[in-house]
Amino acid sequence: MTKPYQRPAQDEPVWWFVISGGELLMTEAKQIPHGLLEDLPLPDLNEYKTVFIGELRERHCYLVIADYGDTNFNAVGEFLSVRELIVGSDDELFAMAARAKQIADFLATHRFCGRCGARMQAVDWEIAMHCHSCQHRCYPRISPCIIVAIRKDNQVLLARGKRHPEGLYSVLAGFVEAGEPLEQTLIREVMEEAGVRIKNPRYVTSQSWPFPNSLMIGFIAEWESGDIRIDPFELEEGGWYDINKLPRIPQEGTIANKLIKRLKAEIDQERNS
Ligand SMILES: [Zn+2]
């Protein structure tokens, strides 16, 4: 097993996920730097914290933590939001980039113990921070969040969040609260945000969403009762949309897009059978 702080061998081509200020180093072609260390114009990585974070297409992946505004990587490319990788719809690559970003954020925010205030040390055989004064150990925090496409006849419930760009509509989403099973989160969030009751939720898929540390857990559910009453604190507007006359929805590669497309495929299939 490769340990977190092990270095790659000189003759081993690897993926380099370099994070600076929450952004990821990408080449001009919006690719992740990949290959032998000697073939890439990277600075001396002995100067940087480097963490083994997993494998992608049978190659090892390393996280490199750069300083904010670090110019030593300019010969490789520039630091951009991990969101840039959603466009390509390469789910595996996006997931690893999400992991790199979240681990970098975890290490940056757990330098001191939350219980006793002593300096924490990185554990050398797993990705964790440990306090040797009080034995408190922390792991990267993941915040589960439900996201749900709700169906009523041949329509889907879409709403525009206050932070969404003008004209962009999406399905409902919300954080799981402490002690809450997902089934309850679904019912509570949909009731709070849209005032309707749902039934028959079905799990469809999930997606790591590292802004900053969500895990989106995607469902399709059916409307049961109630008229839409949009929560004015969270949403601008919302309603039922014909699945074949959709407004602008989140881009391909996002879980919201996948859920809406899945629902559309199911409705189309029903019509044709
Ligand atoms: Zn402590």
Side-chain angles (χ1 to χ4, degrees):
M1 192 182 109
T2 309
K3 292 179 172 175
Y5 298 97
Q6 192 166 312
R7 294 292 178 124
Q10 286 296 329
D11 59 350
E12 180 195 356
V14 304
W15 296 92
W16 298 99
F17 292 85
V18 186
I19 298 278
S20 163
E23 295 190 317
L24 180 64
L25 182 68
M26 293 180 211
T27 65
E28 207 172 326
K30 301 253 173 89
Q31 302 290 314
I32 303 301
H34 172 257
L36 290 175
L37 196 50
E38 62 183 17
D39 294 339
L40 293 166
L42 289 166
D44 180 3
L45 294 180
N46 289 314
E47 306 285 317
Y48 292 89
K49 186 188 269 294
T50 306
V51 189
F52 171 74
I53 55 170
E55 276 185 28
L56 178 66
R57 297 185 195 115
E58 295 174 4
R59 297 276 165 86
H60 286 177
C61 300
Y62 285 84
L63 160 66
V64 177
I65 298 173
D67 295 329
Y68 183 71
D70 197 324
T71 55
N72 290 333
F73 295 88
N74 288 2
V76 181
E78 61 178 321
F79 290 100
L80 297 169
S81 168
V82 174
R83 286 173 196 268
E84 298 283 337
L85 294 178
I86 302 169
V87 185
S89 287
D90 180 339
D91 291 349
E92 278 178 275
L93 183 73
F94 178 71
M96 189 57 79
R99 176 167 165 75
K101 180 181 184 297
Q102 289 176 82
I103 291 171
D105 184 60
F106 165 69
L107 295 173
T109 56
H110 289 76
R111 289 155 56 231
F112 296 94
C113 177
R115 185 191 277 157
C116 78
R119 190 172 279 279
M120 295 188 104
Q121 308 287 332
V123 177
D124 67 1
W125 55 274
E126 60 178 353
I127 293 175
M129 294 293 277
H130 187 81
C131 173
H132 290 279
S133 296
C134 75
Q135 310 305 322
H136 180 48
R137 184 171 291 197
C138 294
Y139 294 89
R141 183 177 66 173
I142 297 161
S143 302
C145 192
I146 61 91
I147 179 164
V148 56
I150 303 161
R151 175 181 178 178
K152 184 184 181 190
D153 304 321
N154 294 327
Q155 304 171 101
V156 59
L157 200 167
L158 298 176
R160 196 164 77 76
K162 292 209 157 166
R163 287 169 301 171
H164 281 162
E166 189 70 39
L168 181 75
Y169 290 78
S170 189
V171 292
L172 301 182
F175 285 105
V176 179
E177 291 193 352
E180 199 176 47
L182 298 177
E183 293 82 353
Q184 195 179 324
T185 313
L186 283 161
I187 289 167
R188 176 183 56 74
E189 274 292 335
V190 173
M191 183 55 75
E192 279 173 14
E193 292 193 1
V196 300
R197 182 165 287 281
I198 56 168
K199 64 180 179 182
N200 301 333
R202 276 181 288 133
Y203 170 75
V204 177
T205 185
S206 65
Q207 184 178 47
S208 171
W209 194 248
F211 311 104
N213 52 29
S214 298
L215 171 65
M216 308 301 291
I217 306 160
F219 294 84
I220 287 176
E222 294 165 37
W223 170 82
E224 186 177 69
S225 62
D227 293 329
I228 294 178
R229 273 181 296 103
I230 287 298
D231 171 13
F233 291 102
E234 300 246 0
L235 301 167
E236 289 281 337
E237 54 178 318
W240 296 107
Y241 288 83
D242 187 315
I243 201 77
N244 288 309
K245 287 186 206 132
L246 293 173
R248 191 177 142 216
I249 60 170
Q251 70 186 83
E252 219 165 294
T254 60
I255 189 167
N257 184 289
K258 287 177 191 179
L259 291 173
I260 296 166
K261 297 258 174 78
R262 172 74 73 95
L263 183 56
K264 178 171 160 42
E266 288 181 7
I267 292 172
D268 287 348
Q269 199 178 13
E270 271 180 32
R271 280 174 172 167
N272 295 331
S273 64

